[in-house]
Amino acid sequence: MLDTTPQSDPARPDGHGTADEPQGCLFALSQPPLMIFLAVIGCLLLMASLHDLLLL
């Protein structure tokens, strides 16, 4: 007879651990609003540094 009892630690279908495992920092960095915000801040810092180096 087949054993059909549920496992105590089920794995997700993609094989990356349990279903209740918390998402990590790389998941947060892959979010589009955060990346747009970081890109805008990076562009402002780049423009400020180029202004200081080339025009002052």
Side-chain angles (χ1 to χ4, degrees), residues 9-23:
D9 190 21
R12 292 192 313 198
D14 58 359
H16 288 97
T18 61
D20 58 349
E21 183 177 326
Q23 301 276 333

Side-chain angles (χ1 to χ4, degrees), residues 18-33:
T18 61
D20 58 349
E21 183 177 326
Q23 301 276 333
C25 181
L26 290 178
F27 175 76
L29 283 177
S30 68
Q31 301 302 311

